[in-house]
Structures are given as structure tokens and as C-alpha cells.
Amino acid sequence: MDEANLSRLSKLNDMEHVMLNHWLETHDIKLDRHTRNQFRDALAIARVFEKIHPEVVDLHSYTPRSSVARMVENWKIFNVRVLNKLNMDITQTDMQQLATGAEGAVESLLYDLMVADYSLLMRGDAQKQFNQPHSVD
């Protein structure tokens, strides 16, 4: 099988769904039919992640899209400019699944972004602790 066709997106198990739902609630994101449709375009996902980690996303790179082919273009930009920085590239097949609203695709990507969010937060906390003066006895 061609490596470019191997999907990064995978079906979430029950625990992963619970964790994702909690993270979505924490960030006041309601995942329903309407938002799933909006999330077919990477711009909507970029807006969400930009609110959480503005240092990672530049919204000026995206244009709202309505056709699947144009949405895939936005996913390519998001992949290069955001996901690549987070070491979580997606394939062309993934981009197509996201742009067409394939079942479970957006949830899988959001789950990966949630994991990246926690990782960024942990690194930030570790950096803060590292930079705090420690007393030496």
C-alpha cells in the first residue's frame, strides 16, 4: 500500500470519545450536525485551534471554501502550517475524508488536536517550572 494513502485518522474508542467530549466542553465547542459540516473546511478548525494556541495558527493563510476541492486546498495549508509543527501530518486521503465529512474523520482530527493541546500545555508548564528559581540547600 502506498504510504501517501495510509490514513492517520482512526475511529475513536469509547474512552477517547469521553475525553474528546470533555475537551470540547472545556473549550465551549458543541459538535453537532452544523459544526461537523463547518469543520469540513480547515478554516473552521484553524479558528478553533487559534483561540486555544494563537502562537501556532495564522488565520490569514485561509480563505472560506465551499467546494470539496477548495476545502482540500485549505486542509493542505493547515497540514503544512499547523499539523506539521505538531508532528501530526495528515495524508491526501485524510484531507479528502475531512473535506467530504466522512464519518468520524473530524472527531479523529479533533482528538489528535486535543492531545497536541495537552502536550503544548505540558511543555509550557515544564518551561515555566524550569525558568523558576530553585533554592539550593
Side-chain angles (χ1 to χ4, degrees), residues 27 30 40 56-57 66-67 81 104 119 126 136:
H27 293 289
K30 184 176 182 181
R40 290 176 46 222
V56 178
V57 180
S66 57
S67 74
R81 299 198 177 182
S119 177
V136 179

Side-chain angles (χ1 to χ4, degrees), residues 6-57:
L6 292 175
S7 178
R8 175 183 178 84
L9 305 177
S10 60
K11 184 175 174 154
L12 302 182
N13 65 37
D14 290 341
M15 181 56 81
E16 290 167 336
H17 271 290
V18 168
M19 293 168 60
L20 176 61
N21 288 335
H22 176 73
W23 182 77
L24 291 171
E25 286 175 19
T26 300
H27 293 289
D28 200 26
I29 301 166
K30 184 176 182 181
L31 196 56
D32 57 20
R33 187 175 54 85
H34 178 71
T35 54
R36 276 187 181 83
N37 189 49
Q38 288 179 327
F39 287 163
R40 290 176 46 222
D41 186 1
L43 174 59
I45 296 287
R47 284 180 178 143
V48 166
F49 210 64
E50 191 264 346
K51 288 179 183 175
I52 301 167
H53 292 286
E55 72 281 4
V56 178
V57 180

Side-chain angles (χ1 to χ4, degrees), residues 76-89:
K76 287 178 183 177
I77 294 168
F78 190 74
N79 190 43
V80 169
R81 299 198 177 182
V82 177
L83 298 178
N84 196 314
K85 291 178 190 174
L86 300 171
N87 296 319
M88 53 183 281
D89 293 315

Side-chain angles (χ1 to χ4, degrees), residues 108-120:
S108 179
L109 181 70
L110 286 169
Y111 181 84
D112 288 346
L113 288 171
M114 173 197 75
V115 171
D117 173 33
Y118 289 141
S119 177
L120 289 168

